Amino acid sequence: MTKIKETSTNFANKKALSDECPEIYASNTIGGQWALAICCYLINGKLRFGELRKKLNNITERMLTLQLRRLEEDRIITRTVYAEVPPRVEYELTEIGYKLKPIILEFEKWGKEHKEIMRDKHSASEPENI
């Protein structure tokens, strides 16, 4: 996960847009493939690193670690370390993180509807075999 240079025009444009538009700010915070997926799984409660890794089977451990750290920095999730051998670490949504639930459910609903429309569009445009 590469960061945009803070001196770049792209960074300045993203920051200005994010400052002006709360929707863009929210999208930048939870946007991206992995952050939203992690939040989707944590909506149902605490999960350990290994459990998240299994659910997100295409993510690398490094990317999962980076995404979890970023979500923790943004106070969307909390990380709890238990003093056990081996150490147990659990991740959970914070109060503000749990407020994503209705938004995530609406995304799910919209995604299903849009998939249906696109499937219907593709099946209507396919030539029929006669």
Side-chain angles (χ1 to χ4, degrees), residues 41 64 126 128:
Y41 286 118
L64 179 56
E126 290 177 2
E128 289 186 31

Side-chain angles (χ1 to χ4, degrees), residues 4-97:
I4 300 171
K5 290 182 183 177
E6 292 186 23
T7 56
S8 74
T9 305
N10 189 16
F11 181 84
N13 291 340
K14 277 187 151 189
K15 175 133 179 47
L17 191 56
S18 181
D19 290 346
E20 293 172 16
C21 182
E23 297 87 353
I24 299 297
Y25 174 82
S27 176
N28 289 343
T29 304
I30 63 161
Q33 175 179 358
W34 300 118
L36 185 57
I38 290 166
C39 291
C40 287
Y41 286 118
L42 291 176
I43 284 290
N44 298 316
K46 297 177 185 179
L47 288 173
R48 295 174 69 174
F49 183 90
E51 293 170 321
L52 278 168
R53 177 80 169 87
K54 285 177 187 168
K55 290 181 182 292
L56 302 163
N57 57 11
N58 291 329
I59 195 170
T60 63
E61 285 191 23
R62 182 178 186 281
M63 181 55 72
L64 179 56
T65 299
L66 290 172
Q67 290 294 313
L68 289 168
R69 283 181 188 161
R70 199 190 100 214
L71 288 168
E72 189 177 8
E73 282 175 21
D74 290 339
R75 297 184 175 165
I76 294 171
I77 66 169
T78 58
R79 178 179 185 262
T80 306
V81 181
Y82 296 91
E84 300 174 356
V85 177
R88 178 170 53 112
V89 180
E90 290 181 338
Y91 295 91
E92 181 178 23
L93 291 172
T94 60
E95 184 178 339
I96 193 75

